[in-house]
């Protein structure tokens, strides 16, 4: 077995890392606390998940390398070079995947209904609210919500979904989205949802009508939609993660 394959086999999934971080960091905080502090919690919880990943990476990496050295096989340098490159590439992918899991964890703790990975004419947004079934019956009354830790040009990949629901929202913690990109999103009726701190720190975020905080998203978009859907938000138990959930590591 290749060194990286062994490492990947031993590493915890994004779902496991997010569940562990949420239990430790969020504890028994009420839904009201999570909702009122969503912007800071999403950044801090994302950092906690990444910290746990780095800890697991160091531990598992050391174990597989020591096992490989003990085997006494040749060409260790070339194998290690390939191993480190694979770990670096997967770390970038997992960071983006972890951001989605953090949002899923927080949405679940707030009791908001959603379906994940719904197929919309070949596209798969991260969340469709309130459900896949409702979207099929009433797409214009639904909300489509996608999470991307950093955007670059990737927001264009999901623009085709924007005209298929009542609202399209793109969540990110990216501080480097340009004025032009934000204007292009507005043309396609895309709201960019960011932590409150980014609205304060970045002037063109603050002055763009289609850039809103997570708290604004709840107050002016999701909670009114819950009323339209005839649903009440209750405080559920923490969600159970399943092994077949999308995992990018």
């Amino acid at each position: 077995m290749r060194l990286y394959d062994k490492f990947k086999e031993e590493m915890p999934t994004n779902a496991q890392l997010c569940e562990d971080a949420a239990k430790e960091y969020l504890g028994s905080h009420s839904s009201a606390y999570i909702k009122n502090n969503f912007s800071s919690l999403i950044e801090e919880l994302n950092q906690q998940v990444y910290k746990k990943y780095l800890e697991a990476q160091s531990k598992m990496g050391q174990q597989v390398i020591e096992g490989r050295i003990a085997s006494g096989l040749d060409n260790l340098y070339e194998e290690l070079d390939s191993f480190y490159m694979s770990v670096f590439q997967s770390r970038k992918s997992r960071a983006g995947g972890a951001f989605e899991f953090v949002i899923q964890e927080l949405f679940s703790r707030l009791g908001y209904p959603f379906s994940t990975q719904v197929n919309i004419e070949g596209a798969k947004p991260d969340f469709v609210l309130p459900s896949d079934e409702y979207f099929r019956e009433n797409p214009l009354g639904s909300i489509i919500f996608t999470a991307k830790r950093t955007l670059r040009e990737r927001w264009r990949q999901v623009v085709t979904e924007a005209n298929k629901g009542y609202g399209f929202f793109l969540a990110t913690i990216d501080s480097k989205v340009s004025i032009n990109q934000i204007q292009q999103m507005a043309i396609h009726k895309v709201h960019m949802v960011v932590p409150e701190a980014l609205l304060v720190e970045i002037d063109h975020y603050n002055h763009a009508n289609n850039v809103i905080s997570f708290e604004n998203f709840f107050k002016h978009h999701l909670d009114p939609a819950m009323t339209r859907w005839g649903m009440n938000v209750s405080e559920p138990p923490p969600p159970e993660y399943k092994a077949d959930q999308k995992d990018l590591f």
Side-chain angles (χ1 to χ4, degrees), residues 29-42 110 112 196 213-216 218-219 223:
H29 281 310
S30 68
S31 59
Y33 176 88
I34 293 173
K35 192 172 183 178
N36 292 333
N37 297 277
F38 201 96
S39 285
S40 59
L41 289 175
I42 197 169
L110 291 176
Y112 287 116
E196 182 70 34
S213 68
F214 285 97
E215 288 78 5
N216 181 293
F218 294 131
K219 182 177 180 180
D223 287 344

Side-chain angles (χ1 to χ4, degrees), residues 109-147:
R109 284 179 176 249
L110 291 176
Y112 287 116
F114 59 82
S115 294
T116 60
Q117 298 299 297
V118 176
N119 192 316
I120 304 176
E121 299 181 11
K124 289 186 177 181
D126 297 320
F127 306 97
V128 171
L129 297 92
S131 67
D132 183 9
E133 294 76 17
Y134 186 93
F135 175 82
R136 302 302 173 189
E137 295 291 328
N138 188 9
L140 294 180
S142 305
I143 287 178
I144 297 174
F145 195 97
T146 287

